[in-house]
């Protein structure tokens, strides 16, 4: 393994696990097509360092208790969970041993859509949140960089049907992003399951 791309297990102060075959590809495609067509996708404005931008992707929020979620100066009002999303929520809880109340869906329409450097460290998520991230459709690179040690960074391809779990102190020590790419890429849907307190 090259020095520039250490594996997830080699990263200090980082607890991230990737299960590549969490969903079999056929089921994952069924879910992808249903979500692509049936989700009430929206594009919101966000404030980054005081400037307002259209978010470079589409999103939708679901919550079992109807709680809204605020990040980057944006408050998203949730939809009630659908049976499909609730089924995934329960399966991911069983696989991870964690509980989830919220699902944030991201749709990256093409390589021009992205998700900039951030950590999922809002107070409403609690101290060391467990965040479960399911990927469907096109493969995109998930980049990680340490907040202090600039020599520590890596990139992991998130493939169709894979489940990435971020937990422990990861959000306090590391930032993550999905960068834009010049490659021609099909749409990708990402579901992040979180617990809101
Ligand atoms: O699309 C992804 O894989 C990451 C999504 C993400 O980091 C987020 O929604 O907080
Ligand atoms: Fe995130």
């Amino acid at each position: 393994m090259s020095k520039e791309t250490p594996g997830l297990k080699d990263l200090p102060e980082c607890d991230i696990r990737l299960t590549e075959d969490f969903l079999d590809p056929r089921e994952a495609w069924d879910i992808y097509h249903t979500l692509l067509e049936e989700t009430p996708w929206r594009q919101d404005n966000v404030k980054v360092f005081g400037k307002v931008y259209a978010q470079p992707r589409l999103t939708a929020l679901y919550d079992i208790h109807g709680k809204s979620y605020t990040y980057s100066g944006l408050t998203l009002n949730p939809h009630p969970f659908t049976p499909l999303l609730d089924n995934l929520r329960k399966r991911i809880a069983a696989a991870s041993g964690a509980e989830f109340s919220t699902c944030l869906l991201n749709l990256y329409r093409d390589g021009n859509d992205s998700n900039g450097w951030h950590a999922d460290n809002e107070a409403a998520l609690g101290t060391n949140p467990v965040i479960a991230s399911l990927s469907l459709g096109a493969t995109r690179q998930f980049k990680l960089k340490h907040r202090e040690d600039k020599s520590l960074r890596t990139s992991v391809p998130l493939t169709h049907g894979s489940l990435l779990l971020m937990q422990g102190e990861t959000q306090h020590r590391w930032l993550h992003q999905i960068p834009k790419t010049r490659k021609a890429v099909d749409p990708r849907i990402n579901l992040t399951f979180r617990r809101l307190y």
Side-chain angles (χ1 to χ4, degrees):
M1 198 165 285
S2 77
K3 193 162 179 283
E4 291 74 35
T5 56
L8 292 170
K9 289 189 185 68
D10 306 321
L11 302 178
E13 305 180 321
C14 186
D15 189 346
I16 301 187
R17 292 150 204 218
L18 180 62
T19 307
E20 299 229 316
D21 57 352
F22 182 75
L23 294 179
D24 78 66
R26 271 189 45 194
E27 184 188 16
W29 281 121
D30 283 349
I31 296 171
Y32 167 88
H33 289 296
T34 303
L35 292 177
L36 194 61
E37 280 158 34
E38 295 181 1
T39 304
W41 297 108
R42 49 184 292 151
Q43 185 170 26
D44 290 292
N45 289 330
V46 285
K47 214 189 247 179
V48 183
F49 299 118
K51 227 181 139 206
V52 177
Y53 299 87
Q55 229 176 11
R57 63 187 179 280
L58 307 187
T59 62
L61 182 73
Y62 293 81
D63 189 90
I64 54 173
H65 305 299
K67 281 191 187 172
S68 56
Y69 182 47
T70 300
Y71 68 98
S72 303
L74 167 69
T75 298
L76 289 174
N77 291 316
H79 304 282
F81 262 75
T82 62
L84 170 63
L85 291 176
D86 205 45
N87 174 273
L88 289 171
R89 183 179 74 85
K90 288 177 178 145
R91 285 161 69 187
I92 292 172
S96 64
E99 292 293 327
F100 303 102
S101 61
T102 296
C103 184
L104 176 63
L105 273 66
N106 291 301
L107 171 59
Y108 303 86
R109 293 160 291 182
D110 56 29
N112 211 31
D113 274 355
S114 59
N115 197 334
W117 287 117
H118 70 280
D120 297 300
N121 59 353
E122 289 76 24
L125 295 172
T127 309
N128 282 336
V130 182
I131 293 166
S133 157
L134 183 65
S135 291
L136 303 168
T139 298
R140 295 288 294 263
Q141 292 294 322
F142 179 77
K143 301 223 167 188
L144 280 159
K145 70 172 179 187
H146 193 271
R147 287 173 185 264
E148 276 101 42
D149 185 341
K150 300 299 177 215
S151 72
L152 290 173
R153 51 197 296 148
T154 198
S155 185
V156 188
L158 294 184
T159 54
H160 181 60
S162 69
L163 182 71
L164 183 89
L165 273 182
M166 296 188 271
Q167 53 195 3
E169 59 184 333
T170 306
Q171 302 302 328
H172 302 292
R173 305 287 184 222
W174 292 80
L175 301 175
H176 57 272
Q177 73 160 342
I178 303 285
K180 296 184 194 304
T181 172
R182 291 215 179 91
K183 286 184 201 148
V185 283
D186 286 329
R188 167 177 183 264
I189 294 174
N190 173 262
L191 295 79
T192 54
F193 290 87
R194 304 149 194 257
R195 180 169 178 182
L196 282 186
Y197 289 91

